[in-house]
Amino acid sequence: MRVIAGEFRSRRLKTLPGLETRPTPDRLREALFNVLAPVIPNTIFLDAYAGSGAVGIEALSRGASRAIFVEKNRSAVEVIRDNLASLGLASRAEVYTGKTLAVLERVAANVVFLDPPYEKQVEYDSALTVLGATGAKLVIAQHASRAPLKLEYGNLKRYRIIRQGDNSLSLYQS
């Protein structure tokens, strides 16, 4: 896996071996950041259910001032920390180990990216409900195309969906 664009373009990232995490495909990441390009510079970006941290690192590469990573798998957290260290980004990042919902309730970010395991629909509903109540401005949820999300969660309303094969991105704003 590589960083697609920005300051760290083409730099390799470590990933967790096996099937415990599902990396966001390069093409889908590229589509996401083409849409987000105007809002990324100087923003605080939260990568929830971060896996290898590729999405948050892509945001940093494209000009985000800070990134917050949340992942409960300790092996994946070590991969995130290794990736940040190899790029010299540790000072611009916070990494939380634990349940995402607890962190979402107490950490603020301008842009939030959610990518829970596709089979855990309750995680989507819970996380989007929390973010809809906390006043998040922009939230993107990656989900299976066959499992659409609701149009609204509290103050969040979906304004766009990007579909690529089995993967979809639902974009919400308050």
Side-chain angles (χ1 to χ4, degrees):
M1 175 170 296
R2 295 179 184 268
V3 177
I4 296 167
E7 181 181 355
F8 302 103
R9 183 175 191 263
S10 297
R11 296 282 299 271
R12 286 196 167 276
L13 298 175
K14 288 183 181 180
T15 58
L16 195 62
L19 301 173
E20 287 189 61
T21 60
R22 175 189 25 81
T24 300
D26 287 356
R27 209 172 114 209
L28 190 61
R29 253 187 311 136
E30 186 171 12
L32 169 65
F33 282 98
N34 286 342
V35 170
L36 295 180
V39 299
I40 291 298
N42 303 312
T43 194
I44 298 172
F45 190 95
L46 193 151
D47 186 354
Y49 309 91
S52 67
V55 175
I57 289 170
E58 189 76 39
L60 289 169
S61 181
R62 293 175 185 242
S65 60
R66 296 198 51 72
I68 302 164
F69 299 87
V70 185
E71 176 57 58
K72 74 175 185 177
N73 181 315
R74 291 191 185 281
S75 297
V77 168
E78 288 308 311
V79 168
I80 294 168
R81 290 184 194 284
D82 289 348
N83 284 332
L84 291 168
S86 74
L87 298 170
L89 290 171
S91 66
R92 293 173 51 199
E94 295 173 57
V95 182
Y96 291 89
T97 307
K99 295 197 181 237
T100 298
L101 295 177
V103 176
L104 291 178
E105 292 174 342
R106 65 179 204 264
V107 175
N110 308 101
V111 179
V112 178
F113 179 78
L114 299 171
D115 186 13
Y118 282 179
E119 67 276 4
K120 295 192 177 180
Q121 187 65 34
V122 71
E123 288 286 323
Y124 287 96
D125 292 335
S126 299
L128 287 163
T129 298
V130 165
L131 291 166
T134 61
K137 301 283 187 241
L138 179 58
V139 177
I140 303 97
Q142 180 179 333
H143 57 94
S145 295
R146 68 188 178 291
L149 301 177
K150 295 179 192 174
L151 295 174
E152 295 184 16
Y153 293 90
N155 292 325
L156 293 174
K157 294 176 184 18
R158 186 171 64 205
Y159 70 93
R160 184 170 182 181
I161 189 164
I162 299 168
R163 290 183 184 90
Q164 286 189 355
D166 293 340
N167 299 295
S168 290
L169 298 171
S170 287
L171 287 79
Y172 293 87
Q173 61 187 5
S174 58

